[in-house]
Every structure is written in C-alpha cells, then in structure tokens.
Amino acid sequence: MLGIMSATDRDRRPAVTRGRRQLLPHQHGAWAFLVLPLLLGLCVAGWSVLLVPLAFAWIASYPFSWAVAASVSMPRPERYRDAVVLWGVVSAAAGLVVLLQRPWLVWVLLVYGAAFAVNLDFARRRSERAIANDLLLVAECSLVVPVAAGVLAGGDGWEPPWSAMSGSAVLVWTVVCVLTLVGSTLHVKSLIRERRDPRYTRASQAFAVASVPVAAALALVGGVPWWAVTVPLALLAGRALWLHDPTMRPGRLGMIELVCFVAVVAGGAAARLAG
C-alpha cells in the first residue's frame, strides 16, 4: 500500500518533522483509498464481525508498507524503523485473527506480496509517484472489494469462496471502485504534481466522463440499479469538469474528494437496500 501516498499527494511534508522518527505518513487522503473498498465490500456482502480485524489489518498495512518502502528509498532509514515494527505488529496480529478463520487468504497474501515487491522496486528507483505504480496501487485497493466480500460471506477452508467473490454485484462495485480511484488519482495529479501538464487535465476529465456510461452499462448487465452507480460517478465527472482549479488548497481538494467517495459508498448502500 506504499504508493497510495503518490496517488493522493494532497499535502506537503512539514519541515519541522525532518530528522525525527516518523510513525505515520503525511498523505492523509490515502486513508480514504483504504476505507472505500472495505465499505463497498460491506455493501455487497453484509456485516460480519470479521470486518473489524480485517479493517485493522488492511488499514495498518498502509503505514507499514509506507515505512518499509521509505526504509529502502530514503537516506536515513532509522527514522522509519519504529513505524515498521509498530504497524507490522498491528497488521500481523489483526490479520492472523482473520487468517485463522479464512485460511484461503494465504493465497491473497501471496498475490499482494508479489505486488508489493513491485511497489518496492518503484521505491528503490525513487519513482514511486509514477503513474504505473499508482495504477498498481489502485488495483491493490480495488481487489479488496471481492476479498472483503469473500471474508464476510464465509468460506473457512483453503479454497476461496469464488461464488461470493465473483457475484455480479461484487464485480460491478469492484469496477466502480477502480473507476473512482483512477479518476481521483488523475484529478489530484492534474491539480498538484502535474498541474503544468495539460495532458493530465484532459485525461482526468475524459476518464471521469467516460466512467459514467461504462458503469451504467455494467450495472444494467449485472443487475445493479443503474442510478446507484451513475449518480456518484456523475458527481465525480462534475468535479473533474467544473472544479478543476490548480490554485485550490490541498485541504479543500481533499474534502471534495472525500465527499465524492462518500457518494460512491452511499450508492453501494442504496443498491443493497433496493436489492
């Protein structure tokens, strides 16, 4: 989960923290990227007490992976050792609770381990903000939707509960998660790090507009109410078209993105109630 900080680079590192040990990343918008797929998984699969340790393990994996990546890419790795230990213990302890109930998650861990190895390679080359790394991180986040659906639906053996993880509603909301996170990544980059490159602005706006009919078509095919996906994605398209202001402060930009994410979750909850 290291590179979410590049996909949501909405703040600046305070100078007063330089030289001190760090326990948390400064990219506050990254937390929304973590919570969105968990909540969408909850919307499609329903509540289970395992959501609590799953959420702790997943969310703690972000500062853990950030600290590991910083340890291999920054000049003073000792600043991040406490974070590696702290968040590694939290993530492992919470994850073990879920793993004992859902042993099939070991296969998921292998997939994420391979993906994180690629993230680390980007970090070693000091190119963790590359768009390719951002897209890999979007994929890592979005796959949490079917994983969470499988954990919440059941399956206590070594065989993943494929039917629960590949249902039409799960697939629709996984794609919606991808569209939301890619759109947010492009939009934020076009306003901060790549604000001088008009290609990012065009890509952000085109992607956001195209996402609406794509999601609507998938919803109709998958039996999900079309309005549950088109309304929040239309909101995202509107913010890409009419709220594209490079002078916007990062805090305000982050709040707008948070509202858009809440709208997506609201769409998932409404679809469950309607179904």
Side-chain angles (χ1 to χ4, degrees):
M1 293 309 305
L2 132 86
I4 294 181
M5 60 182 175
S6 64
T8 55
D9 188 16
R10 295 173 188 156
D11 58 354
R12 298 292 184 268
R13 178 169 301 186
V16 295
T17 65
R18 297 180 183 181
R20 299 180 182 177
R21 294 183 182 272
Q22 291 184 238
L23 291 179
L24 285 170
H26 292 288
Q27 288 72 21
H28 307 300
W31 305 107
F33 270 56
L34 298 167
V35 174
L36 176 65
L38 278 175
L39 293 181
L40 291 179
L42 174 64
C43 289
V44 296
W47 168 259
S48 167
V49 69
L50 284 179
L51 180 65
V52 177
L54 177 65
F56 270 99
W58 170 243
I59 292 174
S61 71
Y62 165 51
F64 169 72
S65 58
W66 157 80
V68 172
S71 297
V72 302
S73 64
M74 301 301 285
R76 285 182 283 187
E78 66 277 3
R79 294 176 57 199
Y80 305 95
R81 287 173 186 162
D82 290 347
V84 171
V85 174
L86 172 63
W87 298 114
V89 169
V90 172
S91 184
L96 184 61
V97 173
V98 187
L99 187 62
L100 290 174
Q101 298 296 317
R102 304 287 189 264
W104 56 268
L105 283 173
V106 69
W107 311 118
V108 176
L109 292 176
L110 290 176
V111 172
Y112 274 88
F116 183 54
V118 178
N119 297 143
L120 282 180
D121 184 59
F122 276 103
R124 289 191 187 98
R125 293 185 282 115
R126 305 298 297 272
S127 58
E128 59 267 37
R129 290 184 173 88
I131 189 65
N133 194 42
D134 287 342
L135 294 178
L136 175 60
L137 289 152
V138 166
E140 291 169 7
C141 286
S142 300
L143 285 177
V144 170
V145 178
V147 170
V151 169
L152 299 179
D156 56 1
W158 292 95
E159 178 74 16
W162 297 114
S163 59
M165 298 171 65
S166 60
S168 57
V170 174
L171 295 179
V172 168
W173 288 106
T174 299
V175 173
V176 169
C177 188
V178 171
L179 296 175
T180 301
L181 298 185
V182 172
S184 181
T185 298
L186 292 173
H187 180 63
V188 172
K189 275 184 172 293
S190 72
L191 289 175
I192 298 183
R193 299 195 62 83
E194 306 294 344
R195 60 184 177 274
R196 294 182 178 86
D197 189 343
R199 293 176 300 175
Y200 273 86
T201 298
R202 293 193 294 267
S204 169
Q205 294 175 342
F207 185 89
V209 171
S211 295
V212 180
V214 169
L218 287 174
L220 292 173
V221 172
V224 174
W226 64 269
W227 47 264
V229 298
T230 54
V231 171
L233 288 179
L235 178 64
L236 268 71
R239 70 91 161 81
L241 292 172
W242 297 305
L243 294 178
H244 190 275
D245 180 6
T247 66
M248 187 183 302
R249 295 180 63 85
R252 184 184 177 194
L253 173 58
M255 289 303 299
I256 292 173
E257 293 302 287
L258 180 60
V259 169
C260 292
F261 281 30
V262 169
V264 174
V265 174
R272 181 171 180 83
L273 292 174

